[in-house]
Each structure stands twice: as structure tokens, then as C-alpha cells.
Amino acid sequence: MSRIIVVTSGKGGVGKTTTTANLGMALAQRKRKVILVDADFGLRNLDLLLGLENRVVYTAVEAIAGECRLDQAIVRDKRQNSLALLPAAQNRMKDAVTPAQMRQLVMALAKKFDYVLVDCPAGIEQGFQNAIAAAREALIVTTPEIAAVRDADRVVGLLEANGVRKVGLIINRIRPEMVEANDMMSVEDVQELLAVPLMGVIPDDERVIVSTNRGEPLVLSEEPSRAGQAYSNIARRLEGETVEFLDLSLPPKGIFSRLRTLLNTRII
Ligand code: ADP
Ligand code: MG
């Protein structure tokens, strides 16, 4: 059965779209058929993060209005052919779509894909209602700031009230040195406040921004990064694997520690 997961948050700008793009790509790398639905009508940008903006012809709004077929609006990824995108309209009114229409659209996609990941807009108004309309699961993204966590808590309540019971937490932009200096909430602090099962912790890393600007999700990078690894690990956990959380307080593994591992495992 297909998994319909909404990626949401309380506060805006915390990393929903980045998470949707990287997680979708990581699941596609595992040969899952994945479609990413941009539910941020009016401010679409999932296509940019994926570098697919030039391929957008129709959007979800035209598909809903019957101005094109659903498959005409779907854009295939250039690199992973099991990844697809349903773009949002950029210049239509935000309330051009109703929750009932979104539900119907997402249910149609669920017949063809293993995963439907819905990228939610900021706020808790109509756009939020649309994004969660068909969702059976949710991933809540928050940064370790009190305002973001408080808003996330509100969304947890709203999800429950709307029948979305399976909720996982992603804490984004952790800076271990700040946590150590007591200048930032720790993973444990956030988890305690929200009481939602942890699905992943992503470090603050400028490569996330660089990859965004290039339209190349970080999980595609040949050069290993902890942020990329963290996204791949979330994909594995979603698939039911038990994967240890990265210890972000340790320095990243450099060439010497990798050599040491090789020596330990292969030679000695
Ligand atoms: P949202 O969809 O929640 O509004 P975005 O995914 O668009 O948030 O991210 C907002 C900004 O934060 C973008 O510029 C993005 O590159 C940056 N960002 C997201 N996650 C990280 C991270 N782990 N490290 C550094 N920058 C990040
Ligand atoms: Mg976004």
C-alpha cells in the first residue's frame, strides 16, 4: 500500500522543502516509486530545489481544473526515473484548490506511486488543510528554536485533530557546538517538548544551501556529508530499518579515521 506523508512545520523557513526534496531523492535511490507534491501554491519552489523548473508545463491546478490530464502535469526527474514531481502553480490564487480536490488528486497518485510526499506551505490556513487532506502520516520539521518548537507543537495537535496519527519528528539545523555551549536547544530538549518519535536530526550545513541553489539535492552528492547521510538515514527509518542516529558532537570522520576503520576491519 502506498504511503502518503505530509512534510509540515509550524514556523516557515525551517526546511520542509529541503527535506521533501532530499528524502524523496533518497527513497528513489532505494528504487521506490516516489512523487513529490508541491502544495505550496503561490510560492512553488520544490521544482527549483530539484532543478526541474524548466520542465514544468502544467501544474496541479490545471490537473484539478481538468485543463490537462494528471500525467501531463507530472514531471519526471532527470537523474532518478523513479522520482517525479507534481508542481504547484506559481501565479494562481492560493484558494484555487479545496481540500476535497487535493484529497482526490493525492489518492489518484497513490495508485501509481509507493510514496506520495506532500510539501506543505507555511501557516495553518487553507494551504495546510489542503496539504494534509489525504495524508495518513506526517513528518514535522522544526529547528531547535523555541518559537519553531512551540509552533510545531500546535501543528502536532492539529494533525491529531484531523486524524493524522502517525507523526515523526525531524530536527533540522542543529549546531553541536552551540548546543554544547548551552546556546541552542538540544535534540533531547526538543523531543521532550514535542513528545513525537524522532525520525532524524540534520546538522546545519552550508552545503545544504549550495545544493539548493544548484538544484541538486545533497543526497546526490558524491562527496559524503553528514546532512546528506542524515536524510538517507531518515529514508531507511521510514522503510522500517533501525538506524542509529549520527553522533553530531563528534568531529566528522576524516581520512585518518576512515583509514583506521579499514585497517581494523580488513587487515588486523
Ligand atoms: P521551508 O520549506 O520550511 O520554508 P526551506 O526548505 O525552503 O524551508 O529552507 C529554508 C532555508 O534554509 C533555505 O535557504 C535552505 O537552504 C536552508 N536550510 C534548510 N536546511 C538547512 C540545513 N540543514 N543547513 C543549512 N541550511 C539549511
Ligand atoms: Mg517550502
Side-chain angles (χ1 to χ4, degrees):
M1 201 168 75
S2 168
R3 312 247 320 247
I4 304 172
I5 307 174
V6 61
V7 180
T8 184
S9 72
K11 199 167 166 279
V14 295
K16 292 178 293 296
T17 304
T18 308
T19 298
T20 307
N22 279 285
L23 195 54
M25 189 61 85
L27 287 164
Q29 286 173 329
R30 300 171 62 84
K31 302 286 172 261
R32 298 292 174 215
K33 281 195 266 172
V34 184
I35 184 147
L36 309 181
V37 177
D38 192 344
D40 201 350
F41 297 106
L43 276 177
R44 72 167 206 223
N45 54 19
L46 196 47
D47 54 339
L48 287 171
L49 262 71
L50 293 162
L52 297 175
E53 68 279 10
N54 292 331
R55 301 198 174 189
V56 175
V57 181
Y58 297 110
T59 70
V61 174
E62 281 87 45
I64 287 171
E67 292 164 21
C68 72
R69 291 192 316 273
L70 181 54
D71 60 285
Q72 286 178 300
I74 292 173
V75 182
R76 293 270 158 199
D77 186 73
K78 301 182 253 189
R79 300 140 295 202
Q80 279 287 340
N81 67 3
S82 69
L83 181 69
L85 166 73
L86 183 62
Q90 206 163 23
N91 45 15
R92 294 253 193 145
M93 294 284 288
K94 274 193 206 158
D95 44 14
V97 175
T98 66
Q101 288 172 321
M102 265 306 265
R103 190 177 309 118
Q104 205 180 5
L105 181 86
V106 169
M107 296 314 279
L109 294 171
K111 288 190 186 133
K112 296 185 193 150
F113 293 89
D114 302 322
Y115 283 87
V116 184
L117 301 186
V118 184
D119 183 22
C120 202
I124 51 172
E125 287 115 44
Q126 169 100 34
F128 173 79
Q129 291 298 336
N130 281 341
I132 68 165
R136 288 192 272 251
E137 302 173 48
L139 288 170
I140 301 236
V141 184
T142 186
T143 49
E145 296 154 305
I146 191 70
V149 175
R150 200 189 317 119
D151 289 354
D153 194 34
R154 234 178 125 204
V155 169
V156 173
L158 285 173
L159 288 167
E160 272 171 14
N162 282 278
V164 185
R165 289 204 177 77
K166 197 165 173 194
V167 180
L169 175 66
I170 295 178
I171 305 174
N172 190 22
R173 307 197 74 163
I174 278 273
R175 293 177 60 176
E177 71 290 352
M178 282 185 73
V179 175
E180 208 124 299
N182 267 323
D183 289 330
M184 183 179 263
M185 290 172 86
S186 69
V187 169
E188 292 73 26
D189 295 338
V190 178
Q191 230 185 325
E192 202 170 300
L193 279 168
L194 291 176
V196 167
L198 189 64
M199 288 299 284
V201 180
I202 299 142
D204 190 76
D205 186 339
E206 62 185 33
R207 279 174 290 183
V208 173
I209 301 167
V210 175
S211 70
T212 297
N213 293 339
R214 285 203 191 122
E216 285 267 324
L218 194 58
V219 293
L220 288 173
S221 173
E222 306 240 314
E223 206 178 295
S225 65
R226 280 172 156 186
Q229 180 74 53
Y231 287 120
S232 301
N233 286 352
I234 297 173
R236 292 172 61 192
R237 290 186 196 111
L238 271 181
E239 299 243 88
E241 273 183 51
T242 307
V243 187
E244 255 188 74
F245 288 91
L246 301 174
D247 188 348
L248 299 174
S249 63
L250 298 170
K253 271 196 180 167
I255 183 78
F256 291 111
S257 69
R258 250 181 271 147
L259 266 179
R260 209 160 32 236
T261 312
L262 275 180
L263 285 172
N264 286 341
T265 51
R266 303 236 175 108
I267 298 173
I268 299 170

